[in-house]
Amino acid sequence: MELTGAQIFLECLKKEGVEVVFGYPGGAIIDIYDQLPNYPFKHILVRHEQGAVHAADGYARATGEAGVCLVTSGPGATNAVTGIATAYMDSIPVVIFTGQVPTPLIGNDAFQEVDIVGITRPCTKHNYLVKDINELAFTVRQAFYLARSGRPGPVLVDLPKDIMQAKAEFVWPEDVSLRSYNPNLTPHIGQIKKVAKLIEKAERPVIYAGGGVISSGAEDELTWLAKSLNIPVTATLMGLGAFPGDDPLWLGMLGMHGTYAANMAINNSDLVLAIGARFDDRVTGKVDTFAPKATLVHIDIDPTSIQKNVAVHVPLVADCKSALSSLKSVIEPILDQTYSEDSHAVWVRQVQQWSETHPLRYNKGGSFIKPQYVVEKVYEISNGDAIVATEVGQNQMWAAQFYKFKKSKSFLSSGGLGTMGYGLPAAIGAQMAFPDRLVVNIAGDGSIQMNIQELMTAVCNDLPVKIVILNNGYLGMVRQWQELFYNRNYCETCMDAQPDFVKLAEAYGAVGFRVTEEKDVVPVLTEAFALPKVCIIDVRVDPEENVYPMVPAGASLADMLLV
Amino acid sequence: MRHTLSVMVENEPGVLSRVVGLFSGRGFNIESLNVAPTLEEGVSLMTITTVGDEQIIEQIVKQLRKLVTVIKVVDLTELKSVEREMVLLKVNAEDAKRAEILRIVDIFRCKVVDVSVDELTLEVTGDHGKIDALINLLSRFGIKEVARTGTVAMKRALQV
């Protein structure tokens, strides 16, 4: 039986096991929406296409499954670009379907036409324009395959309206293979043995874990390696949760706002095992002085990540899980004879001493509520079991520093692109996947206003996310830079004209709380977290609190500004 | 150092802009680029010459390989290879200078493909060095126009 393009498309989603679609209709995509009620997907109507992609991205980060979004042509597609770039920078599997004007009109500057394939070429893993209905099913299949496999990432498929209306037999391609795309998953065993030898010889090893550990599902292997060999672990922002944040070997995050212990450990180590991390400039500081005494081992699935920023001594192209399992199988048989409980004991003691002498801290007391205190209380009240999304800026760094992530896939944050407005829609996506878990968006008063319209999406879909605004009346991170490096020229970072967030919550049908005194933080958070409703908790925090420690941009990790 | 990359790609719309966009977006430089279909249906061959240190060339090769529409990338610089470029040159050639130009044409095994009262248009094929040498020699007569194809290259059968 022949189906329309729209039906074939939806059949494909069914075959791919899609359960949730985040989207926003429009003229060019209307044929798919016309058929949508006949299919078993849950469609979440967002209020802005950027929100659709972030929500699909949050869903993907929280579940490990591909997120799906559906938007129309032209402005619908361009609105999605920020979300696509966000997913691209953090290697998140999202498949974006955009409507397109009918094929005979393409290139004619038709109404709501834009060359979205051209626009998103540099910020997608790959993208397609479907020009023939007979290629539709195969293209959708490839798109999901590419998004999920190898180094994951966003893939966009542009769907012209006439193709959605045309008819053809639905043939599902069971197999998909591309002659030009063969990600290398399994490690070179010679390199693995070399790494095992290096670890054996090392006196001061450190593991530096990144988002690749989480996307490949290598958390258990990483934990085994660290605990069996007694190696301290630090992680990037993207890697938080890959190793239990309450373990004695955990050093905290490294880099610009990393802990003293993590950065000193890197600076003094003789072996750095970089696993699924890419030596981002926010992590390395000044590249020439990164881990100056160490042999660098770099495990990454993407060959372009290796030797891009830092010259490493032992490159290893492989899926992190596969590489770490292989490493385990080499080390495990000789574990007892090679390692004792005292292995690296002196080093671990040294590292822990750094943690004790320079813990993450802030000045307590004073008349203001400290934002770090609020994050600590979110951690305590949620028992460390919440899914925490963040916006971008100081709120993000405080969340990363003061919430101890015990499990992976519970921290959703825009790392590579640093997208303000990410947190709320991402929290919605995560809540959609896990309706029974507590999902908290830690926000700033600036960021939250970038996608505040998604409050409506949360309310009308009964997705009871909690939005904790660390409200300091500033674009805090930029203000911090102005204070430290721009002679206190607070140009355009003061946001003293603000909406009443409590009334705003009420206007959207959510519940609003305002907290102005420290004694109210715990009771209000406790009440809000127990409410099965969308809540905004507007916490007025110290307007001039800064994120410390800090490594100034371009400085060496050894040159940290402490509190 | 100058490198010649042979890049086999799927012959589909947008593939050129994916490759070129990679160079411009990442701040790499293209010196010349040549692309045309191969004998294999659906496959085109690009020859790209580019300049950079080892680390940059390594990145370029890896980034090219990462593109989904790129089938194969070979850095011919590391191999024995044949490189050719075709150039059309329009050079000033008044009567007094014409004989000398024609002598150069002979020596370089160029062809005269168009003649007018005071101009000659020459076709020349050769590697980078030969083309540069010819342009250098002819420039004193005044070259009015140059059209170059960019390098095409192929690995030699025998790699010693």
Side-chain angles (χ1 to χ4, degrees):
Chain A
M1 194 184 75
E2 290 204 324
L3 301 180
T4 64
Q7 289 169 321
I8 291 175
F9 168 75
L10 290 162
E11 290 293 335
C12 290
L13 295 199
K14 220 157 78 176
K15 287 276 190 191
E16 290 291 350
V18 173
E19 289 173 7
V20 188
V21 177
F22 300 90
Y24 202 99
I29 199 83
I30 198 167
D31 293 279
I32 291 175
Y33 276 90
D34 187 50
Q35 289 295 327
L36 199 57
N38 305 328
Y39 286 82
F41 312 118
K42 179 95 179 119
H43 179 271
I44 301 294
L45 175 65
V46 294
R47 294 300 186 269
H48 186 289
E49 287 87 352
Q50 185 188 345
V53 190
H54 288 328
D57 168 315
Y59 179 89
R61 291 187 208 225
T63 60
E65 306 288 329
V68 178
C69 51
L70 185 60
V71 300
T72 196
S73 65
T78 52
N79 275 350
V81 172
T82 304
I84 296 171
T86 304
Y88 182 68
M89 290 292 273
D90 291 344
S91 308
I92 306 302
V94 180
V95 188
I96 305 100
F97 297 98
T98 49
Q100 183 54 279
V101 301
T103 42
L105 291 183
I106 289 178
N108 287 2
D109 303 327
F111 177 66
Q112 292 196 330
E113 183 194 352
V114 74
D115 172 17
I116 197 62
V117 169
I119 288 174
T120 59
R121 213 167 265 146
C123 62
T124 48
K125 184 171 173 185
H126 194 56
N127 58 16
Y128 298 91
L129 167 64
V130 181
K131 282 187 159 167
D132 180 345
I133 187 165
N134 297 308
E135 287 171 5
L136 177 60
F138 188 60
T139 306
V140 174
R141 181 100 173 86
Q142 276 191 2
F144 276 92
Y145 170 67
L146 285 174
R148 290 171 174 144
S149 61
R151 178 178 181 170
V155 178
L156 181 142
V157 183
D158 203 17
L159 304 167
K161 189 174 167 101
D162 58 326
I163 305 283
M164 292 301 99
Q165 292 172 332
K167 287 192 161 185
E169 284 293 329
F170 172 53
V171 185
W172 177 245
E174 287 298 337
D175 292 322
V176 53
S177 79
L178 291 117
R179 64 175 155 182
S180 51
Y181 175 79
N182 297 295
N184 184 29
L185 303 179
T186 46
H188 187 276
I189 191 67
Q191 291 291 85
I192 288 286
K193 286 182 179 155
K194 208 162 158 185
V195 174
K197 277 268 174 269
L198 282 170
I199 298 175
E200 208 179 305
K201 278 195 298 185
E203 286 171 6
R204 303 183 307 280
V206 186
I207 291 172
Y208 147 43
V213 174
I214 295 170
S215 60
S216 78
E219 298 90 338
D220 290 349
E221 287 79 2
L222 174 78
T223 307
W224 180 88
L225 187 71
K227 292 197 171 210
S228 313
L229 310 186
N230 206 26
I231 302 176
V233 182
T234 178
T236 65
L237 185 74
M238 295 298 300
L240 292 180
F243 186 78
D246 51 0
D247 192 280
L249 286 170
W250 172 242
L251 300 173
M253 183 172 75
L254 82 165
M256 181 175 274
H257 293 297
T259 63
Y260 180 80
N263 286 344
M264 287 308 122
I266 290 285
N267 207 45
N268 288 284
S269 74
D270 62 354
L271 177 70
V272 171
L273 298 169
I275 306 170
R278 63 188 172 92
F279 297 89
D280 181 83
D281 53 273
R282 283 291 186 270
V283 160
T284 59
K286 191 176 178 198
V287 172
D288 311 341
T289 58
F290 182 80
K293 301 163 194 164
T295 303
L296 298 179
V297 173
H298 189 186
I299 302 173
D300 204 298
I301 195 163
D302 182 356
T304 66
S305 281
I306 291 171
Q307 316 288 22
K308 185 165 69 178
N309 300 329
V310 170
V312 298
H313 304 95
V314 184
L316 214 161
V317 178
D319 171 71
C320 291
K321 188 180 176 74
S322 163
L324 292 180
S325 315
S326 174
L327 196 54
K328 183 179 173 185
S329 66
V330 171
I331 293 173
E332 206 167 22
I334 53 159
L335 189 63
D336 291 342
Q337 70 210 56
T338 316
Y339 297 93
S340 69
E341 275 179 25
D342 281 350
S343 292
H344 315 126
V346 178
W347 169 238
V348 170
R349 244 193 325 276
Q350 163 74 77
V351 166
Q352 284 166 344
Q353 214 164 29
W354 282 323
S355 286
E356 282 154 25
T357 52
H358 296 89
L360 286 170
R361 56 180 286 270
Y362 56 95
N363 293 320
K364 298 187 171 94
S367 49
F368 290 113
I369 304 174
K370 292 289 178 178
Q372 299 94 329
Y373 172 80
V374 181
V375 176
E376 279 178 345
K377 295 301 149 188
V378 170
Y379 173 70
E380 283 166 22
I381 297 166
S382 68
N383 233 338
D385 289 331
I387 295 176
V388 175
T390 74
E391 302 292 341
V392 165
Q394 288 182 321
N395 61 82
Q396 178 187 31
M397 289 301 122
W398 284 319
Q401 289 178 333
F402 288 91
Y403 196 100
K404 297 186 191 72
F405 293 93
K406 292 188 275 192
K407 285 201 194 105
S408 70
K409 301 194 179 104
S410 50
F411 180 59
L412 320 177
S413 195
S414 169
L417 198 67
T419 310
M420 290 172 74
Y422 171 80
L424 174 55
I428 289 171
Q431 188 81 79
M432 189 62 218
F434 297 102
D436 299 328
R437 282 183 70 180
L438 174 65
V439 180
V440 181
N441 177 33
I442 293 180
D445 48 299
S447 290
I448 192 65
Q449 294 186 59
M450 283 224 179
N451 272 319
I452 192 84
Q453 75 286 346
E454 298 310 329
L455 258 183
M456 201 63 248
T457 308
V459 170
C460 71
N461 287 289
D462 292 323
L463 298 169
V465 296
K466 316 298 173 204
I467 302 151
V468 178
I469 303 178
L470 305 176
N471 187 343
N472 56 12
Y474 276 112
L475 298 178
M477 190 57 97
V478 187
R479 190 207 58 78
Q480 175 169 342
W481 281 49
Q482 288 172 331
E483 177 189 328
L484 297 173
F485 314 116
Y486 291 85
N487 208 17
R488 295 175 189 261
N489 179 16
Y490 296 154
C491 183
E492 299 290 338
T493 44
C494 182
M495 280 248 186
D496 46 4
Q498 278 189 339
D500 180 328
F501 286 111
V502 173
K503 283 188 184 160
L504 191 134
E506 286 161 4
Y508 276 100
V511 182
F513 298 89
R514 179 164 298 116
V515 182
T516 53
E517 298 198 36
E518 193 182 286
K519 67 174 173 45
D520 296 329
V521 170
V522 171
V524 169
L525 287 178
T526 309
E527 186 188 346
F529 287 3
L531 267 182
K533 290 189 163 185
V534 181
C535 298
I536 287 188
I537 304 108
D538 176 22
V539 189
R540 299 300 170 90
V541 298
D542 186 346
E544 304 215 342
E545 183 65 20
N546 286 340
V547 182
Y548 286 116
M550 179 176 196
V551 177
S556 155
L557 290 189
D559 300 326
M560 300 190 77
L561 306 174
L562 298 165
V563 183
Chain B
M1 191 188 149
R2 187 171 162 275
H3 283 248
T4 305
L5 307 178
S6 180
V7 185
M8 200 180 272
V9 298
E10 301 280 357
N11 184 3
E12 60 177 53
V15 66
L16 180 62
S17 87
R18 282 182 207 280
V19 169
V20 173
L22 187 155
F23 276 79
S24 61
R26 293 189 180 270
F28 304 141
N29 185 41
I30 294 179
E31 191 183 84
S32 80
L33 184 150
N34 183 292
V35 52
T38 61
L39 289 179
E40 192 179 342
E41 183 136 356
V43 176
S44 286
L45 187 72
M46 290 185 184
T47 311
I48 303 173
T49 58
T50 181
V51 179
D53 62 29
E54 287 309 306
Q55 194 258 342
I56 290 193
I57 300 294
E58 186 183 329
Q59 263 300 308
I60 291 175
V61 170
K62 285 179 181 174
Q63 293 283 0
L64 283 169
R65 284 187 182 139
K66 194 166 140 182
L67 292 179
V68 172
T69 37
V70 168
I71 302 164
K72 195 176 175 189
V73 184
V74 180
D75 185 351
L76 292 174
T77 322
E78 296 158 4
L79 302 163
K80 302 263 185 232
S81 62
V82 195
E83 282 191 26
R84 290 290 180 273
E85 178 172 12
M86 201 195 69
V87 183
L88 293 174
L89 281 160
K90 195 180 283 169
V91 62
N92 279 328
E94 297 93 29
D95 287 344
K97 291 173 181 163
R98 186 160 297 212
E100 192 181 350
I101 294 174
L102 288 173
R103 260 202 306 283
I104 294 173
V105 165
D106 265 355
I107 295 166
F108 277 80
R109 293 189 194 122
C110 315
K111 263 196 262 173
V112 177
V113 290
D114 190 38
V115 186
S116 72
V117 182
D118 53 1
E119 289 172 356
L120 284 172
T121 301
L122 312 178
E123 173 195 315
V124 57
T125 310
D127 65 12
H128 208 246
K130 176 178 167 183
I131 307 278
D132 279 354
L134 180 70
I135 289 176
N136 197 21
L137 269 175
L138 292 177
S139 56
R140 67 192 164 103
F141 303 104
I143 298 173
K144 299 179 95 173
E145 231 181 302
V146 179
R148 306 177 66 152
T149 59
T151 303
V152 288
M154 198 174 268
K155 192 176 85 169
R156 279 189 195 274
L158 204 59
Q159 294 289 318
V160 191

